[in-house]
């Protein structure tokens, strides 16, 4: 008689052991998932959700195509880009650039007018490649030294803090207009400094020869200090300057390029401090101004010294900065109310902007349209945030984004942080999508993945 087949079903106690083991595995997986979720970094949106105690911001370098920091000793609260001969619209790394800046030091005697040459500026992708190469083959000190960003500074002493610097090219001259806290507007020829930052021999000679900054021309007719100043993009050497007592003066260059004729009758329709001035990029005789009196005005130097057009309540408080679009009839403004407003000059008299944005939580300190894309602009605020915007964006699909991001306007491209007391920013007119900003904590040079 054949033996019975062995029962292949598990006993009851074996079933219980297997179920308990299965539950244990699932619990471990859930715990791991929870730990991973707890460890994930969140996107911080300024103005939407405040940082909690113990939370710190960590920079995501993958959001940048290029990012560099530098300092010049005393803070430079104003600067301008000096155009170079390296070409237009360049994107190839390494990059180089020239800047002119003025310091706001603790004492009047400690200030400097500075020409800076930054070069060997690589993108963030280069840094990633170097890190991977270093992990694989070890450190290579020679290669690392070659890939470091470089900077040369040609500095001359300047008595008094520099409120604002603007640079222009007039023939072979590179001229800097400087608003000094001592109530002077001065014009400097930057050629010796530009030669020095390009040659070690010229730098050695420059250091020996230049003991103090000597202006080509100086104007004391404002009788008080100011901040507003701008070179005409249409007439070489033409300048406009405005002071804290509401007066605006237009400068006309004389033959030879070393002196200027300044109107004796100022443009004075504002009733409080003139904060910023901008020449029209298309009309040689037209400029715009903004003031603490909350107004923005458009002027024509051929007319009597009263503004042609005005928006008397452009902002609810001081209007700090303006920027004139190079290709479209738009003017951008930023005020103490933290608002950014876009004005269509064809409808300016209506007193209503065509767009208004409230992303910054503190006064706006600088605004500028992109020199390459007429729909893009950047702004900085006293909230230590730099924002990038694109007016061509009308809508976006936010169904899969975080709930907090729904509060952001679709035109907002990027929010940059990391500096303390950001004072001024400029797009580089020759380098695609690159912004330079200056603050109490130093300079940032960066290009985001958004532009």
């Amino acid at each position: 008689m054949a033996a019975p087949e062995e029962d292949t079903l598990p006993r009851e106690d074996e079933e219980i052991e297997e179920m308990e083991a299965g539950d244990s595995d699932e619990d471990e997986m859930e715990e791991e998932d929870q730990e991973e979720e707890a460890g994930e970094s969140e996107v911080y949106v300024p103005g939407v959700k405040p940082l909690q105690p113990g939370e710190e911001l960590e920079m995501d370098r993958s959001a940048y195509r290029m990012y560099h920091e530098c300092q010049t000793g005393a803070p430079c609260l104003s600067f301008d880009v000096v155009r170079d001969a390296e070409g237009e619209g360049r994107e190839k790394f390494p990059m180089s650039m020239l800047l002119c800046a003025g310091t706001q030091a603790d004492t009047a005697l400690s200030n400097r007018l500075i020409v800076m040459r930054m070069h060997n500026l690589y993108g963030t992708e280069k840094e990633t490649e170097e890190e991977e190469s270093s992990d694989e083959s070890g450190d290579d000190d020679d290669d690392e030294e070659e890939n470091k960003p470089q900077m040369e500074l040609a500095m001359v002493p300047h008595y008094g803090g520099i409120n604002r610097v603007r640079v222009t090219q007039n023939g072979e001259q590179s001229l800097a207009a400087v608003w000094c806290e001592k109530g002077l507007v001065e014009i400097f020829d930057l050629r010796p400094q530009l030669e020095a930052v390009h040659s070690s021999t010229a730098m050695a000679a420059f250091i020996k020869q230049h003991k103090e900054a000597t202006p080509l021309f100086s104007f004391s007719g404002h009788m008080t200090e100011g901040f507003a100043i701008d070179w005409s993009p249409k007439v070489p050497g033409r300048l406009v300057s405005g002071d804290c007592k509401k007066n605006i003066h237009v400068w006309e260059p004389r033959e030879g390029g070393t002196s200027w004729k300044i109107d004796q009758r100022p443009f004075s329709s504002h009733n409080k401090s003139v904060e910023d001035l901008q020449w029209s990029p298309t009309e040689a005789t037209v400029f715009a101004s903004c003031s603490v009196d909350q107004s923005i005005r458009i002027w024509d130097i051929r007319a009597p010294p009263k503004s042609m057009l005005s928006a008397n309540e452009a902002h609810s408080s001081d209007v700090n900065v303006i920027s004139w679009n190079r290709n479209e009839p738009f003017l951008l403004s930023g005020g103490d109310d933290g608002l950014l407003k876009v004005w269509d000059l064809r409808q300016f008299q209506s007193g209503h902007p065509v767009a208004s944005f409230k992303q910054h939580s503190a006064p706006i300190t600088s605004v500028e349209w992109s020199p390459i894309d007429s729909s893009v602009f950047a702004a900085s605020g006293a909230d230590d945030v730099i924002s990038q915007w694109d007016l061509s964006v009308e809508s976006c699909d936010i169904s899969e984004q975080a709930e907090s991001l729904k509060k952001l306007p679709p035109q907002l491209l990027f929010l940059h942080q990391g500096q303390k007391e950001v004072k001024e920013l400029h797009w580089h007119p020759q380098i695609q999508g690159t912004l330079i900003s200056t603050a109490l904590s130093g300079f940032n040079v960066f290009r985001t993945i958004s532009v």
Side-chain angles (χ1 to χ4, degrees), residues 91-165:
E91 295 188 77
K92 186 177 179 181
F93 293 109
M95 296 289 187
S96 66
M97 63 182 65
L98 296 167
L99 307 177
C100 178
T103 66
Q104 281 272 354
D106 294 334
T107 63
L109 288 170
S110 300
N111 285 291
R112 300 289 184 269
L113 178 64
I114 305 172
V115 169
M116 311 161 60
R117 177 176 173 245
M118 300 181 190
H119 57 107
N120 213 41
L121 304 177
Y122 281 96
T124 52
E125 290 182 3
K126 178 75 173 178
E127 295 172 4
T128 304
E129 291 172 6
E130 288 173 4
E131 290 173 3
E132 292 175 354
S133 176
S134 176
D135 292 340
E136 293 174 3
S137 59
D139 294 331
D140 189 332
D141 294 338
D142 293 336
D143 288 345
E144 189 175 324
E145 189 66 29
E146 287 179 6
N147 293 329
K148 281 185 177 179
Q150 304 292 325
M151 181 170 70
E152 279 78 45
L153 302 176
M155 303 186 290
V156 289
H158 182 276
Y159 185 72
I162 294 174
N163 293 344
R164 195 159 289 175
V165 177

Side-chain angles (χ1 to χ4, degrees), residues 290-303:
C290 66
S291 169
V292 171
D293 66 12
Q294 305 178 15
S295 72
I296 300 172
R297 298 181 183 273
I298 310 296
W299 313 73
D300 192 323
I301 63 176
R302 298 169 298 182

Side-chain angles (χ1 to χ4, degrees), residues 309-314 342-355:
L309 305 171
S310 65
N312 290 324
E313 296 180 355
V342 180
W343 305 86
D344 187 335
L345 296 174
R346 296 164 297 189
Q347 309 168 19
F348 191 65
Q349 283 293 82
S350 70
H352 300 293
V354 294

